Amino acid sequence: MSPTVGAGAAGPRVSILLPCRDAAAYLPAARASLEAQTLRDYEVVAVDDGSRDATPALLEAWAAADPRVRVLHTPPRGLPAALACALEEARGDVVARMDADDVAHPRRLERQVAFLDAHPEIAACGTRVRYFPRSAVRDGARRYERWLNALTGPDELARDIFVECPLAHPTLAARRAALLAVGGYRDPGWPEDYDLVLRLWAAGHRLANVPEILHRWRERPDRASRTDPRYAPDAFRRCKVHYLRETLLRGRDGAVVWGAGPTGKAFARELLRQGVPVRAFVELDPRKLGQTIHGAPVVPPQEAERWHGRALVLAAVGAPGARAEIRARLRAAGWREPEEFCAVA
């Protein structure tokens, strides 16, 4: 690792972690968006993760022009290692993420730092996002964008934390002390951003999103989330079940999976693989009632009551609107979320 040090001795307010690999086509736009920030008290800790294009030269030129920019050169070790390297070098009280192919709103850092200052109980915040270019944005990304942008308060993020990552990682602004306290970045074989967010939540930290679109998130077919097996659906399931076992499933007599379709069955298989007993599947489809799946009976919703207070009910139905319907039914029956039931899809 060879650093180009341009920052002064005094620590900045914000350290921006900027991992880069072969990002020459996009880095100028990302740089321009950071140079346009209304909050000026920041440093950029850029990690060149073994780039083979002009990225190293672009980063060095940026550091030569701006003393707030530091460049670290490493062999190609992957995103989690690059982030861990950048966090180790960060000096700001607040750590912000930025991807080399994204574009930040000029007031992004200002808004997030002001939010953290006004809410000392919040350890980390994201922002609403807008995928671009819109012609490349698939239906799944549009659904995620709508879902993510609807989550703002800490209770909303905590409620949906096992549905998907409720804080867009490229928009992260977190208290450095909180990140270090939970172990920073690591590579567990599933998404490193979701892993970090779940560790923060599991440690009792509260999370939120600033309710403004302050980040333009580039959609491209070669994104790691599209090509790396660590971001595949089965990796997300492994991650979710791991942290469910560490938190909400503790002291419970296994799980009841609400939904005997493909989503529910896949989730049940991962529960069983990690040693969590599946007591039953809950289904509305009369054709499935009375069946046995993975050794567990398929029962109608009214029979879920027999596990109330014993097993954790996991809502695992992927159909649009199903999550809201399941929540409404269980809440009306007196179940508490997330202590007694939790949405995982």
Side-chain angles (χ1 to χ4, degrees):
M1 180 173 65
S2 57
T4 297
V5 180
R13 184 71 203 279
V14 179
S15 292
I16 301 169
L17 312 186
L18 182 67
C20 306
R21 180 189 290 180
D22 297 335
Y26 310 110
L27 188 56
R31 170 184 172 176
S33 76
L34 293 179
E35 290 178 332
Q37 290 298 303
T38 54
L39 187 150
R40 308 296 295 167
D41 187 13
Y42 69 78
E43 68 173 351
V44 176
V45 184
V47 178
D48 167 37
D49 185 42
S51 295
R52 295 166 296 178
D53 65 358
T55 296
L58 290 173
L59 291 174
E60 291 292 347
W62 187 7
D66 190 337
R68 297 173 299 176
V69 179
R70 289 186 287 154
V71 182
L72 309 172
H73 298 284
T74 71
R77 299 183 301 178
L79 181 58
L83 287 168
C85 175
L87 179 59
E88 183 179 354
E89 295 292 326
R91 299 175 300 171
D93 294 332
V94 174
V95 170
R97 274 283 287 112
M98 179 72 183
D99 280 341
D101 57 352
D102 289 348
V103 175
H105 186 282
R107 303 192 73 175
R108 178 195 154 188
L109 294 180
E110 175 195 334
R111 296 290 204 211
Q112 288 188 279
V113 169
F115 184 87
L116 291 172
D117 285 346
H119 298 89
E121 76 282 6
I122 301 296
C125 65
T127 78
R128 288 176 175 166
V129 300
R130 175 78 170 174
Y131 280 113
F132 80 103
R134 296 306 280 184
S135 59
V137 183
R138 304 178 187 177
D139 289 343
R142 289 173 187 265
R143 286 194 299 271
Y144 177 68
E145 179 187 83
R146 288 193 298 271
W147 171 79
L148 178 76
N149 287 348
L151 303 176
T152 54
D155 292 339
E156 293 173 317
L157 270 70
R159 179 199 66 192
D160 271 13
I161 199 160
F162 285 106
V163 174
E164 241 281 23
C165 188
L167 192 157
H169 191 217
T171 74
L172 176 76
R175 303 184 196 280
R176 181 164 60 101
L179 296 187
L180 296 176
V182 299
Y185 287 99
R186 64 182 194 177
D187 185 1
W190 51 60
E192 80 292 331
D193 53 346
Y194 199 16
D195 181 76
L196 178 61
V197 168
L198 282 166
R199 275 185 283 131
L200 286 167
W201 169 80
H205 293 296
R206 289 171 68 75
L207 313 167
N209 283 316
V210 176
E212 299 177 67
I213 297 175
L214 297 174
H215 196 81
R216 294 178 63 214
W217 200 352
R218 189 182 299 273
E219 181 62 283
R220 37 190 279 221
D222 60 342
R223 276 176 52 186
S225 59
R226 303 281 183 220
T227 61
D228 192 317
R230 289 175 298 185
Y231 306 95
D234 65 315
F236 272 92
R237 281 191 293 270
R238 290 197 308 272
C239 179
K240 291 178 184 183
V241 172
H242 172 82
Y243 283 103
L244 282 167
R245 290 177 61 238
E246 293 287 314
T247 57
L248 299 177
L249 280 166
R250 283 190 176 274
R252 294 287 173 186
D253 182 21
V256 171
V257 177
W258 193 303
T263 302
K265 289 177 181 176
F267 208 86
R269 286 193 294 271
E270 186 58 37
L271 287 165
L272 293 169
R273 195 189 69 81
Q274 294 195 34
V276 179
V278 175
R279 300 305 182 190
F281 289 85
V282 175
E283 253 297 334
L284 296 176
D285 186 348
R287 296 170 298 178
K288 297 178 182 177
L289 298 178
Q291 295 181 16
T292 299
I293 300 175
H294 302 315
V298 182
V299 302
Q302 57 269 26
E303 291 194 28
E305 187 61 33
R306 80 169 79 163
W307 289 282
H308 196 171
R310 294 167 47 204
L312 180 68
V313 170
L314 300 172
V317 183
R323 190 187 314 132
E325 292 178 11
I326 295 168
R327 276 186 168 135
R329 183 187 289 260
L330 288 172
R331 286 172 180 168
W335 292 64
R336 294 175 297 124
E337 185 180 20
E339 295 87 356
E340 296 175 331
F341 78 93
C342 175
V344 297

